[in-house]
Amino acid sequence: MPTAALPPPPRARKAPVKPQPSRTLLSTLLGTCVLALALVVTATAVTALVRGPRPVAPVAPAARQGSHWVNTWTGMPQLTEAGNLPPAPFTGERAVLADTTLRQTVRVTVGAHRLRLRFSNAYGDTPLPLTAVTVALPAGGRAGVSAIVPGSLRPVTFSGRAATVVPVGAEVVSDPVDLDLLPGADLTVTAYTAEGQPDLALTSHPGSRTTSYLALGDHTRDPDLTGATAVDHWYLLSDVEVLAPAGTRAVAVLGDSLTDGRGSTTNGNDRWPDQFFDRLRSRPDTSDIAVLNQAAGGNRVLADGLGPNVLARLDRDVLSRSGVAWLIVFEGVNDIGTAAATPQAQRAVADDLIAAYRQIVVRAHAQGIRVYGATLLPFGGNAYDDGAGVREAARQRVNDWIRGPGHFDAVLDFDRAVRDPADPVRLRADLQVGDWLHLNPTGYAALAAAVPAGLFGGR
């Protein structure tokens, strides 16, 4: 720190010798300066913490134009049950998918010119090595086919490398791939695992209602997998994202087998979320909304079943997905149906479901997501029907709460859409598949039609 200048001495007299500051004084002055500088730095750091980190300047040209990544397809990750593992020779005693090519098709919702993939090892006990991955358009634009459109194949990389390893419990996101995708188009994803996963804990989505193909060796670039083994399951792939305009958003659906599409047509893409997306696409004001089906057969809100319970998977399957602006909650019948058919047990499960719905709304609202509640469908004539109407009373109580004002941002009355007017505790006979719980494609169309498209417009 500089010291102040001394005044010049009078000319008539010789200036006296001024003693220099002592080392102690210099140390004090220097310490004061250091302390002041530290205070400035500390104040700046505190201000940064309060204000939050400054946004990183976008670098991609598309980002400068207001684009962002939005999920366009999802398949809820689950632990593969023994009966849903790939058949021999693709599953051995201690490994699965060794030296195996897996080709599968998925239907995207919103389209784009650039995409990226997410692979999940959520339930693996060992790292998952991916040796090579490609994407392409399926032959004829159809779901569940093993051939691809010539010239559409693109290699997929991960941090610039062809191969990657998905850590235990994690997922990996690919580098962006340039490929023109139309809204509602099917996409072929082919992966090869040279080593396979050295365990039988495989992450998948068994209820794909779509045919996939398995073949030994690396066939990721083959135009067709002639002679491959067909399986109606999805494995490893959990998401497809697209780089879309800033206004593009997604609606996620939390559900069970009724949303996963049990009773729908294999390779037909006629689950109710599929048919709901078709309605959205037909309207100019909702044609750019993605629909994300985060459902699994047997899933429950309160307790683990096939896949983790809704309260446990809400962050993973909805709140962390890209571009979600709306959430539809259509789940709870499995909680009622698996609880004991006693008044006490059914009162408890109804109370707990209502409390869980409140939690879902609170957590989604904190992320700026609007939440729409769907009423639970009747199950008279199904195994869930206890005959005495105890479970039915719980369903009616839950539905009364869902329909009540101020709970959800809107209500989707699915119960009213498909119940038998002459016998409201049962589904309409022409809309169900024979088990009096699951719907056929016509029944799923009735659910899709019961969702007011106006809830997603006005952007």
Side-chain angles (χ1 to χ4, degrees), residues 75-80 118-128 166-172 197 201-204 235-239 307-308 313 316-317 321:
M76 176 190 148
Q78 298 172 241
L79 175 63
T80 310
R118 289 177 183 256
F119 287 88
S120 176
N121 193 21
Y123 298 98
D125 292 334
T126 57
L128 168 65
V166 190
V168 172
E171 67 176 12
V172 294
Q197 187 153 17
L202 185 68
T203 301
S204 70
Y235 298 108
L236 311 182
L237 183 68
S238 62
D239 300 86
R313 68 185 180 92
R316 182 195 72 181
D317 292 346
R321 297 303 88 185

Side-chain angles (χ1 to χ4, degrees), residues 73 103-108 136-149 184-189 208-213 230-232 234 265-271 274:
W73 173 86
R103 177 165 287 179
Q104 43 200 352
T105 60
V106 298
R107 188 197 191 204
V108 304
L137 301 178
R142 294 177 295 141
V145 297
S146 63
I148 61 174
V149 174
D186 283 280
L187 174 71
T188 297
V189 179
S208 64
R209 276 80 198 180
T210 306
T211 304
S212 303
Y213 297 89
V231 291
D232 290 340
W234 284 316
T265 308
T266 299
N267 298 319
N269 286 319
D270 52 14
R271 313 162 189 84
D274 296 310

Side-chain angles (χ1 to χ4, degrees), residues 358-443:
R358 292 183 186 275
Q359 284 289 307
I360 294 168
V361 171
V362 167
R363 289 165 63 184
H365 280 179
Q367 300 297 321
I369 298 172
R370 295 179 64 82
V371 188
Y372 303 148
T375 52
L376 305 182
L377 305 192
F379 44 76
N382 181 262
Y384 284 170
D385 184 358
D386 59 90
V390 178
R391 291 192 177 109
E392 172 63 17
R395 184 184 76 90
Q396 293 289 354
R397 183 178 168 214
V398 170
N399 278 352
D400 287 345
W401 184 87
I402 291 173
R403 293 186 180 105
H407 298 149
F408 288 101
D409 296 305
V411 176
L412 314 180
D413 205 340
F414 284 177
D415 171 38
R416 186 182 301 274
V418 296
R419 72 192 183 196
D420 185 346
D423 190 4
V425 302
R426 286 175 174 257
L427 296 168
R428 277 177 47 186
D430 61 322
L431 300 182
Q432 55 91 33
V433 295
D435 66 358
W436 297 98
L437 179 64
H438 298 98
L439 301 175
N440 57 32
T442 304

Side-chain angles (χ1 to χ4, degrees), residues 102-104 106 108 113-119 132-138 148-149 151-158 174-181 186-191 220-222 237 239-241:
L102 165 66
R103 177 165 287 179
Q104 43 200 352
V106 298
V108 304
H113 304 291
R114 177 168 287 188
L115 64 92
R116 63 188 185 189
L117 310 176
R118 289 177 183 256
F119 287 88
V133 178
T134 61
V135 293
L137 301 178
I148 61 174
V149 174
S152 68
L153 187 138
R154 305 284 189 276
V156 178
T157 59
F158 303 85
S174 76
D175 299 329
V177 179
D178 290 330
L179 181 67
D180 291 338
L181 277 178
D186 283 280
L187 174 71
T188 297
V189 179
T190 309
T220 52
R221 295 176 178 268
D222 287 11
L237 183 68
D239 300 86
V240 179
E241 297 175 310

Side-chain angles (χ1 to χ4, degrees), residues 238-283:
S238 62
D239 300 86
V240 179
E241 297 175 310
V242 292
L243 191 61
T248 304
R249 293 179 286 176
V251 50
V253 184
L254 285 173
D256 47 39
S257 56
L258 286 161
T259 299
D260 205 26
R262 182 170 178 180
S264 63
T265 308
T266 299
N267 298 319
N269 286 319
D270 52 14
R271 313 162 189 84
W272 79 258
D274 296 310
Q275 299 190 61
F276 168 55
F277 165 72
D278 291 335
R279 286 187 57 223
L280 291 178
R281 185 171 49 151
S282 69
R283 293 167 48 106

